[in-house]
Protein backbone atom coordinates (compact mmCIF):
# COMPACT_ATOMS: atom_id res chain seq x y z
CA UNK A 1 0.00 0.00 0.00
CA UNK A 2 3.04 2.24 -0.03
CA UNK A 3 2.87 5.13 -2.48
CA UNK A 4 5.88 5.36 -4.79
CA UNK A 5 7.25 8.79 -5.68
CA UNK A 6 6.95 10.34 -2.22
CA UNK A 7 10.01 11.39 -0.24
CA UNK A 8 8.18 10.63 3.01
CA UNK A 9 6.73 7.26 3.82
CA UNK A 10 3.10 7.27 2.60
CA UNK A 11 0.55 4.49 2.63
CA UNK A 12 -2.87 4.60 0.96
CA UNK A 13 -5.53 1.92 1.09
CA UNK A 14 -8.62 2.02 -1.12
CA UNK A 15 -11.78 0.20 -0.13
CA UNK A 16 -14.55 -0.20 -2.69
CA UNK A 17 -18.10 -0.33 -1.36
CA UNK A 18 -21.25 -0.80 -3.38
CA UNK A 19 -23.92 1.74 -2.50
CA UNK A 20 -27.29 1.55 -4.22
CA UNK A 21 -25.79 -0.73 -6.88
CA UNK A 22 -22.91 1.65 -7.69
CA UNK A 23 -19.31 1.19 -6.54
CA UNK A 24 -17.77 3.98 -4.48
CA UNK A 25 -14.21 4.25 -3.21
CA UNK A 26 -13.16 5.07 0.33
CA UNK A 27 -9.55 5.72 1.27
CA UNK A 28 -7.41 5.54 4.36
CA UNK A 29 -3.90 6.92 4.50
CA UNK A 30 -0.99 7.61 6.78
CA UNK A 31 2.51 9.04 6.66
CA UNK A 32 5.55 9.44 8.86
CA UNK A 33 5.56 13.22 8.15
CA UNK A 34 3.05 15.59 9.77
CA UNK A 35 2.65 17.86 6.73
CA UNK A 36 2.00 14.85 4.52
CA UNK A 37 -0.66 13.62 6.95
CA UNK A 38 -2.37 16.96 6.34
CA UNK A 39 -2.08 16.54 2.58
CA UNK A 40 -3.59 13.07 2.88
CA UNK A 41 -6.50 14.57 4.85
CA UNK A 42 -7.11 17.08 2.02
CA UNK A 43 -7.10 14.31 -0.57
CA UNK A 44 -9.43 12.13 1.50
CA UNK A 45 -11.86 15.04 1.75
CA UNK A 46 -11.68 15.50 -2.02
CA UNK A 47 -12.04 11.84 -3.06
CA UNK A 48 -13.70 9.75 -0.31
CA UNK A 49 -17.06 8.22 -1.09
CA UNK A 50 -17.02 9.09 -4.78
CA UNK A 51 -17.65 6.77 -7.72
CA UNK A 52 -14.70 5.88 -9.96
CA UNK A 53 -16.11 8.12 -12.71
CA UNK A 54 -16.46 11.03 -10.29
CA UNK A 55 -12.88 10.54 -9.08
CA UNK A 56 -11.54 10.48 -12.62
CA UNK A 57 -13.47 13.65 -13.49
CA UNK A 58 -11.86 15.68 -10.68
CA UNK A 59 -9.25 18.20 -11.84
CA UNK A 60 -6.90 17.72 -8.90
CA UNK A 61 -4.38 20.31 -10.06
CA UNK A 62 -7.15 22.88 -10.42
CA UNK A 63 -8.74 22.13 -7.05
CA UNK A 64 -5.44 21.98 -5.19
CA UNK A 65 -4.31 25.12 -7.01
CA UNK A 66 -7.39 26.94 -5.71
CA UNK A 67 -6.28 26.02 -2.19
CA UNK A 68 -2.91 27.66 -2.89
CA UNK A 69 -0.95 24.53 -2.07
CA UNK A 70 1.43 24.95 -4.99
CA UNK A 71 2.72 28.18 -3.49
CA UNK A 72 3.50 26.57 -0.13
CA UNK A 73 4.92 23.16 -1.04
CA UNK A 74 8.44 22.33 -2.09
CA UNK A 75 8.82 20.67 -5.49
CA UNK A 76 9.45 17.34 -3.73
CA UNK A 77 6.27 17.65 -1.67
CA UNK A 78 4.29 18.63 -4.78
CA UNK A 79 5.61 15.58 -6.61
CA UNK A 80 4.61 13.40 -3.67
CA UNK A 81 1.15 14.96 -3.55
CA UNK A 82 0.57 14.24 -7.22
CA UNK A 83 1.93 10.70 -6.75
CA UNK A 84 -0.85 10.21 -4.20
CA UNK A 85 -3.38 11.65 -6.66
CA UNK A 86 -2.04 9.29 -9.32
CA UNK A 87 -2.46 6.32 -7.00
CA UNK A 88 -6.06 7.32 -6.19
CA UNK A 89 -6.84 7.74 -9.90
CA UNK A 90 -5.23 4.37 -10.70
CA UNK A 91 -7.39 2.67 -8.06
CA UNK A 92 -10.47 4.36 -9.55
CA UNK A 93 -9.51 3.25 -13.07
CA UNK A 94 -8.96 -0.29 -11.85
CA UNK A 95 -12.36 -0.41 -10.17
CA UNK A 96 -14.08 1.14 -13.20
CA UNK A 97 -12.54 -1.56 -15.43
CA UNK A 98 -14.00 -4.39 -13.38
CA UNK A 99 -17.11 -5.91 -14.99
CA UNK A 100 -19.23 -5.65 -11.83
CA UNK A 101 -18.30 -1.95 -11.52
CA UNK A 102 -19.49 -1.30 -15.05
CA UNK A 103 -22.84 -2.95 -14.36
CA UNK A 104 -22.11 -6.06 -16.44
Amino acid sequence: HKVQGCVSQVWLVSEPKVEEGTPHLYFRGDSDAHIVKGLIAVLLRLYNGKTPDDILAIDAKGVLGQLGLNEHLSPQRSNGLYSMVGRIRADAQSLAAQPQAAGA
Side-chain angles (χ1 to χ4, degrees):
H1 301 288
K2 188 172 178 187
V3 177
Q4 301 300 316
C6 295
V7 174
S8 302
Q9 302 290 315
V10 178
W11 299 270
L12 278 176
V13 176
S14 63
E15 300 174 86
K17 294 181 182 177
V18 177
E19 298 174 1
E20 298 180 14
T22 305
H24 291 72
L25 276 171
Y26 290 87
F27 299 91
R28 290 181 292 124
D30 200 6
S31 175
D32 62 346
H34 291 291
I35 192 166
V36 178
K37 286 182 184 217
L39 295 174
I40 291 168
V42 170
L43 293 179
L44 294 183
R45 181 78 173 126
L46 182 61
Y47 290 109
N48 254 349
K50 303 240 183 331
T51 67
D53 289 341
D54 289 342
I55 289 171
L56 296 172
I58 292 172
D59 174 15
K61 286 189 179 190
V63 172
L64 298 172
Q66 288 176 348
L67 295 175
L69 290 179
N70 296 334
E71 301 167 21
H72 301 288
L73 295 177
S74 69
Q76 287 181 321
R77 288 271 191 247
S78 290
N79 288 341
L81 176 63
Y82 291 109
S83 290
M84 289 186 278
V85 169
R87 169 69 175 281
I88 289 168
R89 289 180 56 82
D91 288 354
Q93 288 173 331
S94 177
L95 182 59
Q98 294 177 13
Q100 66 273 17

